[in-house]
Amino acid sequence: METISHTPDPWTGLRTLTEARIALGRTGGSLPTAEVLDFRLDHAAARDAVLTPFDPTALADEILALGTGVFTVTSAAANRAQYLQRPDSGRQLSAGSRAALTDFAAGRPPVDLVIIAADGLSTQAVRQIVPLLRGLLPALQGAGWELAPVIVASQARVALQDEIGNLLQARLSLILLGERPGLGSADSLGAYFTWAPRPGRSDAERNCLSNIRAAGLPPAAAAVRLFHLLTESRRRGLSGTSLKDETPLPGLQHRRD
Amino acid sequence: MTHRFTHGRTTFTFPDLATLMARASPRRSGDELAGLAAASAEERVAAQVCLAEVPLTRFLEEPLIPPEQDEVTRLILDRHDLAAFAPVGGLTVGQFRDWLLRYETDGTVLTALAPGLTPEMVAAVSKVMRQQDLILVASKIRKVTRFRSTLGLPGTLAVRLQPNHPADDPRGIAASILDGLMYGCGDAVIGINPATDSPSSYHELAGLMDRLITEYHIPTQSCVLAHLSTALRAMEAGAPVDLVFQSIAGTEAANRSFGIDLALLREARAAALSLGRVPPGGQVMYFETGQGSCLSAGAHHGIDQQTLEARAYAVAREFDPLLVNTVVGFIGPEYLYDGKQIIRAGLEDHFCGKMLGLPMGCDVCYTNHAEADQDDMDTLLTLLGTAGCNFIMGVPGAADVMLGYQSTSFHDSHYLRQLLGLRPAPEFAAWLETMGIMQDGLRLQPAGPHHALVAPQLQALAASPN
């Protein structure tokens, strides 16, 4: 078999300085086969993360096993295609879920926090949720927080936390959901929280921890950071840019997606 | 004025020009999201049939957004050149399409016509044009701009080198710049999207590029794609600023949501010119646009996203830019759902920009939640090459690790240059030849670790691995 060698780039060593795809080499002026396929593989993983169906029952079972209550809802997005084209549909509950959650909330006292575990744009990122809750729930319970059952939500956008938090009379609403997958980071989870959640809250009124994944901010570390941030948010009675501006905590970001 | 069209037993009515424009727009998710799109395929074509009958002068009589509400409308009307408009002043939208496709309508004619056209006229005709029309007419028009390199000449294709890094790490950025230069890219601009929008970060990145350009005599220009106000502060602090960047949109309200207005753009351009870095008669502004930005900012006034995009070009041309880049697929599938919508939008934007006299380039790109992939980008890239696009992006391996999306790569530029015989900007091609990087502007040369650009970075790495 004849060997066709491509032209390598002599600056391969510089790859340690950046995650960017430099020094890929070339055949003629084009990408070598291995690089074409490597890119395709990463893109395929990202596409699968967006499109693989979310299994809310499996996630609910795992969360129940942590010893907390669970309530399952769906957004108004009828399917994945609608979810992707109509972000507004993912920001509100389906009629059925709204009725069920309203019934559930009737006669119950307000809570400090509702945590929402959701698919978002990456169903692969959902795997970070249980490890994160394993750290966060005991910390909150130990500090005397009144918690609503964990809400497992399908086809959810960040702002779904507003309607859910409002229905449950929660002081704070925290949603954990898959971020838009990047190449090579298809399983990245985002965490967004909002003080006094109610429909119409703007993104400037939220805070965000992003890139929660083993190779980024590990779920256990994210749990520690979230606990401190939520505590600070509750103490000061606010969230969003003002929390960001006055509390220089590492990893705290303003929402950017 | 109500527009009506009867097809079979169905009569379609469109109450005003804005509705007619929106219903006539080729299908895209952003107009559906805004509730402006045609309800059926037949209604869409009915609107196109009605639109083809509309006289071009109607767009002067019936502004889609009232001038008293919007400074972009006022700019469009104030700058309209009736003498330049005269050759097409008696035509309808449909007749205008026919006129554009005539053999006699060449680049000289179209260049002279540009000041006589409004964005709405250009958007309207694009809606009744097929993709081949958009490509053919745009390919007749050349728009040449200059800083240290001359861009937009016939037979050339330039590349913006985009060496972003998620933490603005200077060595990581320098490594990506080296990669791009060694692949013959960067003649349009070396342009960094900073992760942090601060004057100090701006100053550091501008300094890094300035030293590189100066030391190696690279005939190109640099740009930090931070907010205009950051650029102004950095210029005051003495940063070496070649090009001033800003994202712009087609309504005053959307521009305000970006924190800018026409006055601020004027101030920034004057500041950049006053630095005296650009040769006389050259250009100092770099604008980016993209369909859907007005809707995203809640500032669309019930106008479809393609028409609003064309209005952004009226803002751009007021400031004589070096580069205008439509970042076509960046905004996501809620505005352009799939490869088909992204491809059509990219060709529309390039056509509309060129018709209005702009040096149009395109960030041929998509996000991972859009129904698109590299094959779709190959298609749009190829079509834009044939349409005479001034410049494209060059991102290492096509994946931007800071912005988290996929664009075109250095390798992609070689594909297009080989396929269509397109060379880099002449000054840059000569520099590449001198540096032993490229032969005849088309063929990469083998380079070793001792190459003048490569060796210093490898030595620095050996001296300080992290």
Side-chain angles (χ1 to χ4, degrees):
Chain A
M1 196 172 69
E2 195 186 351
T3 305
I4 306 285
S5 62
H6 63 79
T7 310
D9 295 322
W11 56 93
T12 312
L14 300 179
R15 279 196 199 163
T16 55
L17 301 175
T18 178
E19 290 169 40
R21 294 172 187 237
I22 62 168
L24 299 180
R26 58 188 176 85
T27 174
S30 300
L31 277 180
T33 303
E35 294 297 342
V36 169
L37 294 176
D38 181 64
F39 185 107
R40 263 191 208 164
L41 196 58
D42 282 347
H43 184 243
R47 291 299 292 156
D48 285 348
V50 173
L51 297 175
T52 302
F54 171 53
D55 185 348
T57 312
L59 180 62
D61 287 347
E62 282 187 79
I63 295 172
L64 274 173
L66 297 176
T68 181
V70 175
F71 196 99
T72 303
V73 300
T74 58
S75 80
N79 52 53
R80 203 61 173 165
Q82 191 190 18
Y83 172 80
L84 291 171
Q85 286 184 68
R86 296 293 302 268
D88 51 326
S89 67
R91 294 181 187 130
Q92 48 191 313
L93 289 167
S94 65
S97 289
R98 182 175 301 137
L101 202 59
T102 306
D103 284 350
F104 174 82
R108 285 176 193 262
V111 293
D112 291 315
L113 172 69
V114 57
I115 300 175
I116 302 150
D119 47 2
L121 281 165
S122 167
T123 58
Q124 299 301 306
V126 165
R127 71 168 74 116
Q128 320 297 353
I129 291 178
V130 168
L132 191 157
L133 290 179
R134 200 172 283 133
L136 182 61
L137 287 172
L140 292 166
Q141 285 153 353
W145 287 60
E146 289 293 332
L147 301 179
V150 173
I151 309 291
V152 172
S154 306
Q155 313 283 23
R157 297 271 178 179
V158 171
L160 189 65
Q161 68 176 191
D162 296 341
E163 183 174 8
I164 293 173
N166 190 45
L167 282 176
L168 294 174
Q169 300 179 69
R171 289 187 185 87
L172 272 161
S173 182
L174 167 69
I175 189 166
L176 310 170
L177 82 179
E179 298 183 316
R180 191 179 87 193
L183 279 199
S185 59
D187 60 349
S188 180
L189 187 80
Y192 299 83
F193 64 87
T194 305
W195 175 258
R198 57 168 184 268
R201 284 288 183 212
S202 79
D203 291 340
E205 296 172 292
R206 309 183 201 286
N207 294 98
C208 162
L209 270 187
S210 68
N211 199 26
I212 301 170
R213 59 188 174 110
L217 177 62
V224 173
R225 220 173 272 182
L226 273 174
F227 174 68
H228 289 297
L229 289 168
L230 290 166
T231 302
E232 187 65 9
S233 176
R234 185 171 72 152
R235 187 181 70 77
R236 296 179 50 197
L238 56 84
S239 62
T241 35
S242 26
L243 186 65
K244 172 197 164 190
D245 290 344
E246 296 164 37
T247 27
L249 290 166
L252 180 63
Q253 293 174 11
H254 179 55
R255 187 175 177 225
R256 43 172 197 171
D257 182 355
Chain B
M1 183 185 136
T2 301
H3 306 264
R4 266 194 195 80
F5 178 70
T6 301
H7 187 228
R9 277 193 264 172
T10 314
T11 297
F12 298 95
T13 58
F14 309 98
D16 53 40
L17 198 51
T19 307
L20 184 64
M21 290 281 273
R23 301 289 193 273
S25 219
R27 184 178 178 191
R28 60 209 52 191
S29 49
D31 291 334
E32 290 172 346
L33 179 63
L36 299 170
S40 67
E42 206 179 344
E43 188 192 17
R44 178 168 295 112
V45 181
Q48 291 169 0
V49 172
C50 290
L51 185 59
E53 297 298 316
V54 172
L56 292 179
T57 48
R58 190 92 198 99
F59 293 97
L60 301 173
E61 296 152 4
E62 189 180 338
L64 300 185
I65 302 172
E68 54 276 17
Q69 286 177 23
D70 187 282
E71 67 171 358
V72 177
T73 301
R74 292 198 293 277
L75 177 74
I76 291 166
L77 296 176
D78 288 350
R79 290 287 184 263
H80 185 251
D81 181 338
L82 268 176
F85 178 60
V88 298
L91 304 183
T92 63
V93 170
Q95 290 167 338
F96 185 36
R97 176 190 167 276
D98 294 339
W99 184 88
L100 288 171
L101 292 163
R102 291 167 50 171
Y103 295 129
E104 295 78 7
T105 307
D106 60 15
T108 309
V109 171
L110 289 170
T111 301
L113 178 66
L117 296 176
T118 67
E120 288 83 356
M121 294 174 192
V122 173
V125 75
S126 81
K127 293 177 197 296
V128 299
M129 291 169 88
R130 282 173 52 187
Q131 290 191 174
Q132 60 164 261
D133 305 337
L134 298 173
I135 293 168
L136 181 62
V137 176
S139 76
K140 298 180 183 187
I141 308 168
R142 302 308 315 188
K143 174 64 184 178
V144 177
T145 54
R146 290 183 185 83
F147 199 108
R148 293 185 193 100
S149 56
T150 305
L151 305 169
L153 291 168
T156 67
L157 171 78
V159 182
R160 167 192 165 192
L161 203 172
Q162 183 171 316
N164 298 341
H165 186 280
D168 290 338
D169 178 71
R171 295 175 73 192
I173 286 172
S176 287
I177 293 177
L178 171 74
D179 201 58
L181 292 174
M182 294 303 292
Y183 272 83
C185 295
D187 47 345
V189 61
I190 302 174
I192 304 170
N193 298 87
T196 309
D197 196 320
S198 74
S200 61
S201 168
Y202 188 111
H203 206 136
E204 184 182 359
L205 295 174
L208 184 158
M209 291 186 283
D210 184 53
R211 285 191 296 277
L212 194 69
I213 288 171
T214 307
E215 180 174 353
Y216 294 99
H217 307 286
I218 310 173
T220 189
Q221 34 286 336
S222 72
C223 186
V224 181
L225 283 75
H227 192 269
L228 202 85
S229 56
T230 309
L232 276 166
R233 286 209 292 277
M235 281 188 277
E236 280 166 23
V241 175
D242 287 344
L243 299 182
V244 170
F245 166 81
Q246 185 54 46
S247 288
I248 55 170
T251 69
E252 178 180 342
N255 284 328
R256 288 205 188 283
S257 84
F258 292 166
I260 57 154
D261 57 19
L262 298 176
L264 194 61
L265 287 165
R266 217 160 264 136
E267 181 187 338
R269 177 167 179 263
L273 282 170
S274 76
L275 297 181
R277 297 171 67 86
V278 66
Q283 288 77 22
V284 293
M285 300 301 285
Y286 175 11
F287 292 124
E288 286 191 352
T289 65
Q291 292 191 23
S293 57
C294 291
L295 174 59
S296 171
H300 65 88
H301 295 263
I303 310 298
D304 68 89
Q305 67 183 35
Q306 191 256 331
T307 301
L308 291 171
E309 172 72 6
R311 284 170 55 97
Y313 304 151
V315 175
R317 72 173 167 181
E318 176 71 4
F319 303 101
D320 186 24
L322 184 81
L323 304 161
V324 180
N325 176 24
T326 170
V327 191
V328 69
F330 184 73
I331 193 160
E334 57 267 45
Y335 301 92
L336 295 167
Y337 184 61
D338 56 14
K340 183 177 174 68
Q341 294 187 7
I342 292 171
I343 289 166
R344 170 85 199 183
L347 294 174
E348 289 166 350
D349 294 352
H350 178 257
F351 164 81
C352 290
K354 282 281 170 72
M355 287 291 290
L356 293 169
L358 292 176
M360 286 304 291
C362 183
D363 190 342
V364 175
C365 65
Y366 65 104
T367 58
N368 284 326
H369 59 323
E371 285 286 331
D373 60 21
Q374 294 301 103
D375 289 339
D376 295 308
M377 298 307 106
D378 289 345
T379 303
L380 179 54
L381 179 67
T382 307
L383 296 177
L384 284 169
T386 61
C389 186
N390 282 34
F391 67 101
I392 57 170
M393 302 306 110
V395 179
D400 189 303
V401 293
M402 201 284 280
L403 295 169
Y405 77 120
Q406 284 89 250
S407 178
T408 47
S409 67
F410 307 136
H411 296 78
D412 290 334
S413 75
H414 279 278
Y415 150 73
L416 200 58
R417 283 174 173 171
Q418 279 185 86
L419 180 73
L420 300 174
L422 300 172
R423 288 167 169 77
E427 303 85 353
F428 198 79
W431 178 79
L432 291 170
E433 196 93 28
T434 307
M435 295 297 288
I437 294 172
M438 225 162 150
Q439 194 178 44
D440 190 28
L442 285 175
R443 192 174 276 229
L444 288 167
Q445 299 298 295
H450 302 295
H451 188 278
L453 285 178
V454 178
Q457 287 202 33
L458 288 178
Q459 283 158 12
L461 182 71
S464 163
N466 293 302

